[in-house]
Amino acid sequence: MIESRRRAYLEALGFDVWVARPPPPEPGRLVVSPDPSATLLVCGVPEDSATRIAGDIVRALGGEASWAWPDTGGGAASVSLADAIADCLVTRVILFGPGPARWLFQGEIPEVLGSAAIAAAPGLDELAGRGGAKRSLWRLLQAFPAPAAPARQS
């Protein structure tokens, strides 16, 4: 018998139906966009990476950046930040807003993790609406080490 139909019969007979909940998602796991880059930009939700300000930020970085966001659904394809850094050869990570920072680091944000320098920036909503936030991001990008250019092969 189909599980949903069985549950409906039991409920109709007045029985309390208990359903096992899936385990909560593991904190610190990210969904990373499939386009690997030396720069990883971490936003709060997938929709943030498609905003106008997100596109402007990628252009300011020279058009080379990958997006990631917290895996709140517990997907099988999620990775830890350390694994994303190692797998994609990431050299810099920018966390946008307090949400991703809390999801990844319950305490203080480290300056370096693996081979990547890590920095926190204002949230994308704040960047879209406040000139001061944009200026602080620009100063951060100027001070943040740029990824090394790939070696040319002869």
Side-chain angles (χ1 to χ4, degrees), residues 5 22 25 27 29 36 40 44 56 58-59 74-75 99 101 104 113 119 122 131 134 136 144 146:
R5 184 175 287 174
R29 305 290 288 181
L40 183 64
D56 292 343
V58 171
R59 281 189 290 284
L104 294 168
L113 180 63
K134 289 178 187 174
S136 71
F144 210 48

Side-chain angles (χ1 to χ4, degrees), residues 53-139:
I53 190 72
D56 292 343
I57 292 167
V58 171
R59 281 189 290 284
L61 291 168
E64 294 286 328
S66 297
W67 285 95
W69 46 87
D71 178 23
T72 57
S78 66
V79 296
S80 69
L81 180 58
D83 288 343
I85 289 169
D87 294 346
C88 300
L89 303 176
V90 173
T91 57
R92 60 184 179 171
V93 176
I94 301 175
L95 307 170
F96 289 98
R102 275 193 309 270
W103 181 261
L104 294 168
F105 309 103
Q106 282 66 42
E108 190 174 326
I109 299 171
E111 290 184 23
V112 176
L113 180 63
S115 63
I118 299 180
L124 293 174
D125 289 342
E126 188 178 351
L127 287 167
R130 284 192 36 232
K134 289 178 187 174
R135 284 189 293 279
S136 71
L137 175 64
W138 183 251
R139 284 191 298 273

Side-chain angles (χ1 to χ4, degrees), residues 30-33 41-52 54-55 67-73 100 124:
L30 293 170
V31 176
V32 180
S33 62
L41 307 174
V42 183
C43 58
V45 293
E47 294 79 22
D48 284 350
S49 66
T51 61
R52 186 174 179 183
W67 285 95
W69 46 87
D71 178 23
T72 57
L124 293 174

Side-chain angles (χ1 to χ4, degrees), residues 7-26:
R7 211 173 315 132
Y9 282 135
L10 291 172
E11 286 174 354
L13 291 170
F15 289 100
D16 290 333
V17 179
W18 294 61
V19 179
R21 284 191 219 168
E26 187 179 328

